[in-house]
Amino acid sequence: MNLDDIYNWILGHNQNYPGKHQESQPRTIASYKPLEAKAQFHIVIKATAEYIKEKMLSGNGVNMKELGAFTMEVNSDYVKPLQHSGFNMTQDLAIQRADRKHVHQIRPCFVPDNSFKYFLARYPGKEEITKPLSQHSIYQKGFGMNFCNAGPIAASCYLGKDVVQSIHNSLIKAIHDLTRLGHNLNIDFGFIKISVINRDLKYKYEQSFISRLNQTEYELKMRQSDLATSQHWTTTYQEKWSKSTLNNLLTRPDPVKVQGNYEKSMALKIILQQKVEIGFKFNINFQFQ
């Protein structure tokens, strides 16, 4: 069963998966018309995949509650002492960092949640990543972990935040139930493919995504920000949102064209209604005569 089959399963068993995802919900912008229930699943899960992908490329992981954590393992080689590494004080620091890029290697991984592990017979490694000693929380699955925030996803889909949360909860619950019932699942998020065959979980990241992840200088992510402090705090939320891939997921329609089409449709509706009323009037007079 792929994602489309899972959506049909959820919509076909509305008693087991109640919520706002079962019906078409209004959009936050009047220019967008309401979508069908299944179309809402497609657009929300696509936006969720883009959200996780964007967070991972920025050096952070994402933890979806009761599903798992999309994170990365940083494998660092031993660094030679300064007197034996050939460090040149006269050379630019950026050049020195470029020469030592091979020291840090990034391996993306997926760590299933404990509630998901309960229904699995096998999964890759009991402890696939090494948790830093400074992270004492039991919910911390990797470096720079964030919980999956439904706010940006809802804003990119022009849907309510409660609708996105309802879709996430129903999808995760359906994955648990189908795994428990022994169904084979093929969950394709675009940049990662998660398969559950005979309760055996396997995943595979796209090679293009791994290449982009390794091209990001993770060593720079671990130190202070490249931006000055004043520039960091003066950057507005609109500027940060404009650079996000979620903002470009849906193109905003032209309000002038939308209003023009609405006025034309209303004019045609009035004309047709008048013609129907005139024809009905003539038919009644003819019967009386």
Side-chain angles (χ1 to χ4, degrees):
M1 300 178 66
N2 53 19
L3 282 175
D4 194 72
D5 298 329
I6 298 176
Y7 303 156
N8 294 331
W9 173 274
I10 296 173
L11 296 175
H13 299 78
N14 52 1
Q15 296 180 352
N16 298 330
Y17 311 99
K20 291 189 174 182
H21 57 274
Q22 292 289 348
E23 297 179 356
S24 177
Q25 300 297 329
R27 314 295 289 276
T28 56
I29 296 181
S31 302
Y32 282 94
K33 301 302 179 184
L35 298 172
E36 295 181 354
K38 188 176 180 180
Q40 290 179 159
F41 272 92
H42 280 283
I43 189 174
V44 169
I45 299 305
K46 182 179 179 182
T48 304
E50 291 292 331
Y51 171 81
I52 298 173
K53 181 179 178 181
E54 181 180 338
K55 288 294 183 181
M56 292 189 69
L57 290 175
S58 64
N60 297 320
V62 178
N63 189 354
M64 291 191 70
K65 186 179 179 181
E66 297 185 356
L67 179 62
F70 301 84
T71 181
M72 61 206 72
E73 173 76 348
V74 182
N75 297 325
S76 300
D77 297 335
Y78 290 103
V79 181
K80 296 180 181 179
L82 181 61
Q83 61 269 23
H84 300 294
S85 62
F87 186 81
N88 189 0
M89 297 296 296
T90 61
Q91 200 172 13
D92 188 19
L93 182 61
I95 300 177
Q96 295 286 334
R97 290 184 183 276
D99 294 338
R100 296 175 61 250
K101 258 188 176 181
H102 65 281
V103 174
H104 299 288
Q105 296 178 354
I106 303 173
R107 183 182 66 87
C109 56
F110 173 74
V111 183
D113 192 82
N114 292 331
S115 58
F116 190 23
K117 290 179 182 178
Y118 181 79
F119 303 105
L120 296 172
R122 293 171 295 276
Y123 50 89
K126 292 185 177 180
E127 294 295 338
E128 194 172 7
I129 62 176
T130 303
K131 185 173 66 173
L133 298 178
S134 60
Q135 299 171 355
H136 301 286
S137 175
I138 59 175
Y139 300 103
Q140 192 76 16
K141 299 293 184 181
F143 295 88
M145 290 298 301
N146 299 322
F147 280 98
C148 187
N149 188 4
I153 300 173
S156 63
C157 300
Y158 305 117
L159 288 168
K161 183 178 178 181
D162 51 350
V163 180
V164 175
Q165 291 177 341
S166 179
I167 290 177
H168 284 174
N169 295 336
S170 62
L171 178 65
I172 295 173
K173 187 176 184 299
I175 292 175
H176 289 183
D177 294 342
L178 293 172
T179 303
R180 176 175 55 85
L181 294 174
H183 291 273
N184 296 333
L185 305 179
N186 182 20
I187 307 170
D188 188 1
F189 285 119
F191 69 100
I192 179 177
K193 295 181 179 179
I194 302 174
S195 62
V196 180
I197 301 176
N198 295 329
R199 296 188 179 182
D200 182 9
L201 185 142
K202 295 181 180 179
Y203 66 89
K204 182 179 180 181
Y205 282 87
E206 292 291 334
Q207 189 62 37
S208 58
F209 175 76
I210 298 176
S211 301
R212 290 184 60 187
L213 195 63
N214 289 325
Q215 288 174 1
T216 58
E217 298 183 7
Y218 195 84
E219 192 176 86
L220 299 179
K221 308 289 184 184
M222 300 171 68
R223 62 183 180 87
Q224 62 181 1
S225 176
D226 296 334
L227 299 176
T229 305
S230 58
Q231 185 179 359
H232 175 77
W233 291 110
T234 54
T235 304
T236 61
Y237 177 77
Q238 287 77 10
E239 294 176 356
K240 295 179 180 179
W241 176 252
S242 62
K243 298 178 182 179
S244 175
T245 56
L246 289 174
N247 187 32
N248 301 325
L249 188 64
L250 290 178
T251 56
R252 189 184 297 271
D254 188 2
V256 178
K257 293 183 179 179
V258 172
Q259 184 65 23
N261 294 332
Y262 177 75
E263 293 177 355
K264 290 180 181 179
S265 61
M266 290 300 296
L268 290 174
K269 184 178 180 180
I270 294 173
I271 293 172
L272 291 175
Q273 187 176 3
Q274 290 177 351
K275 288 184 177 180
V276 171
E277 292 178 354
I278 293 173
F280 182 71
K281 181 178 180 181
F282 283 134
N283 290 335
I284 290 179
N285 291 336
F286 179 77
Q287 290 177 1
F288 279 115
Q289 292 175 359

